[in-house]
């Protein structure tokens, strides 16, 4: 990672699948909100110059307080997200310092991504313009129709489960989002928004431990993984 990088951390969702009154990004993990663990990871990386945090409109003040409480000095903007994740990402991109020529976008509820994986993704992006973290699919995947009938079985060797961060040259990502907004297109991730412009997006292999905390079952698993990660760091 030789370039000036900015990070957009997206945490504007309500997380209805968690089944809690509290939004999932604020639930405690080892004594801190999940979101804080994620932000501290990027805060600790020398390669990242500034962070734009995108949250729900009602949570801007709360998150500004968390940034101050945990001394997250690289968080230079806390902004309200839009009605869709894609709109939130675009707001975050625009909130980054103009000096950030490269941007990575990361889910606020993925606190277990490693610095090694982040750097691998960004290095791939610097070579090609755009890259995403991903892992090979382990299970056989079936495509089914509306009645539940199996239509096809894609070759598992060609299937990858996509994670974040996703890393891009800033002008490429900005242009892709502007085009998507003009054409009222909503993608499932930022890579999809860029792919439709014809720009190549490459894979950087990540880790299966880079989980997205989405359901109640994910929390104890995240606790276990975080504890394991810390033990391994202490051995080094």
């Amino acid at each position: 990672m030789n370039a000036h990088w900015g990070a957009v951390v997206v945490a504007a969702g309500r997380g209805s699948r968690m089944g809690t009154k509290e939004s999932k990004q604020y639930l405690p993990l080892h004594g801190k909100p999940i979101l804080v663990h994620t932000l501290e990871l990027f805060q600790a990386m020398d390669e990242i110059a500034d962070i734009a945090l995108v949250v729900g409109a009602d949570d801007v003040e709360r998150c500004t307080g968390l940034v101050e409480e945990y001394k997250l000095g690289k968080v230079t903007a806390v902004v309200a997200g839009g009605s869709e994740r894609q709109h939130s990402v675009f707001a975050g991109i625009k909130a980054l310092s103009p000096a950030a020529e490269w941007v990575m976008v990361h889910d606020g509820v993925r606190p277990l991504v490693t610095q090694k994986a982040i750097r691998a993704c960004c290095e791939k992006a610097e070579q090609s313009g755009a890259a995403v973290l991903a892992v090979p699919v382990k299970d056989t995947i079936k495509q089914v129709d509306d009645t539940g009938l199996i239509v096809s079985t894609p070759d598992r060797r060609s299937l990858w489960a996509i994670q974040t961060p996703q890393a891009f040259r800033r002008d490429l990502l900005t242009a892709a989002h502007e085009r998507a907004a003009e054409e009222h297109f909503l993608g499932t991730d930022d890579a999809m928004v860029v792919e439709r412009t014809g720009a190549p997006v490459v894979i950087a292999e990540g880790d299966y431990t880079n989980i997205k905390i989405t359901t109640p079952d994910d929390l104890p698993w995240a606790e276990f993984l975080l504890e394991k990660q810390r033990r391994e760091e202490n051995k080094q």
Side-chain angles (χ1 to χ4, degrees), residues 1 40-42 44-47 113-120:
M1 293 174 66
E40 286 181 335
L41 174 67
F42 289 102
M45 294 185 66
D46 293 338
E47 299 91 339
V113 66
T114 64
Q115 291 190 14
K116 179 181 178 182
I118 293 170
R119 291 189 178 102

Side-chain angles (χ1 to χ4, degrees), residues 89-106:
V89 171
F90 198 21
I93 297 167
K94 290 186 283 189
L96 286 172
S97 162
E101 298 176 352
W102 294 82
V103 179
M104 69 180 76
V105 181
H106 189 64

Side-chain angles (χ1 to χ4, degrees), residues 25-71:
Q25 56 268 37
Y26 306 113
L27 293 175
L29 177 66
H30 271 234
K32 297 178 188 176
I34 291 168
L35 177 59
V36 169
H37 285 279
T38 304
L39 293 170
E40 286 181 335
L41 174 67
F42 289 102
Q43 173 77 26
M45 294 185 66
D46 293 338
E47 299 91 339
I48 296 172
D50 64 313
I51 303 164
L53 173 60
V54 189
V55 299
D58 295 339
D59 293 323
V60 170
E61 184 176 345
R62 175 187 192 174
C63 288
T64 300
L66 288 175
V67 167
E68 294 174 358
E69 179 182 351
Y70 289 96
K71 298 179 173 57

Side-chain angles (χ1 to χ4, degrees), residues 73-113:
K74 288 185 181 179
V75 180
T76 54
V78 181
V79 297
S83 58
E84 301 287 346
R85 183 184 187 279
Q86 187 169 304
H87 304 148
S88 297
V89 171
F90 198 21
I93 297 167
K94 290 186 283 189
L96 286 172
S97 162
E101 298 176 352
W102 294 82
V103 179
M104 69 180 76
V105 181
H106 189 64
D107 296 323
V109 288
R110 286 189 189 268
L112 292 161
V113 66

Side-chain angles (χ1 to χ4, degrees), residues 7-236:
V8 174
V9 175
V10 187
R14 301 306 301 175
S16 57
R17 281 181 288 176
M18 185 60 76
T20 57
K21 290 183 179 179
E22 181 68 278
S23 296
K24 58 189 175 183
Q25 56 268 37
Y26 306 113
L27 293 175
L29 177 66
H30 271 234
K32 297 178 188 176
I34 291 168
L35 177 59
V36 169
H37 285 279
T38 304
L39 293 170
E40 286 181 335
L41 174 67
F42 289 102
Q43 173 77 26
M45 294 185 66
D46 293 338
E47 299 91 339
I48 296 172
D50 64 313
I51 303 164
L53 173 60
V54 189
V55 299
D58 295 339
D59 293 323
V60 170
E61 184 176 345
R62 175 187 192 174
C63 288
T64 300
L66 288 175
V67 167
E68 294 174 358
E69 179 182 351
Y70 289 96
K71 298 179 173 57
L72 300 166
K74 288 185 181 179
V75 180
T76 54
V78 181
V79 297
S83 58
E84 301 287 346
R85 183 184 187 279
Q86 187 169 304
H87 304 148
S88 297
V89 171
F90 198 21
I93 297 167
K94 290 186 283 189
L96 286 172
S97 162
E101 298 176 352
W102 294 82
V103 179
M104 69 180 76
V105 181
H106 189 64
D107 296 323
V109 288
R110 286 189 189 268
L112 292 161
V113 66
T114 64
Q115 291 190 14
K116 179 181 178 182
I118 293 170
R119 291 189 178 102
C121 185
C122 292
E123 286 166 5
K124 286 275 191 178
E126 287 178 12
Q127 295 165 12
S128 63
V132 298
L133 270 187
V135 290
V137 169
K138 293 180 179 180
D139 299 320
T140 296
I141 304 297
K142 301 286 187 182
Q143 183 179 358
V144 300
D145 64 16
D146 293 341
T147 69
L149 180 69
I150 294 173
V151 175
S152 66
T153 305
D155 185 349
R156 188 172 61 191
R157 292 172 296 180
S158 68
L159 299 175
W160 290 68
I162 304 303
Q163 304 176 337
T164 67
Q166 300 186 356
F168 309 89
R169 201 175 66 244
R170 184 176 184 170
D171 59 356
L172 171 63
L173 184 59
T174 299
H177 271 275
E178 288 173 345
R179 176 176 167 180
E182 290 170 4
E183 298 174 358
H184 305 289
F185 172 82
L186 281 177
T188 53
D189 67 355
D190 295 285
M192 188 175 181
V193 174
V194 171
E195 288 162 33
R196 67 189 296 270
T197 70
V201 182
V202 299
I203 291 291
E205 186 162 358
D207 305 299
Y208 291 101
T209 53
N210 180 17
I211 63 170
K212 186 176 183 180
I213 301 175
T214 306
T215 67
D217 290 341
D218 296 329
L219 266 175
W221 180 227
E223 292 272 2
F224 170 79
L225 291 172
L226 184 61
E227 185 62 39
K228 183 173 181 288
Q229 196 177 81
R230 290 180 172 178
R231 285 199 304 268
E232 289 172 353
E233 288 171 357
N234 291 334
K235 289 178 183 178
Q236 295 176 1

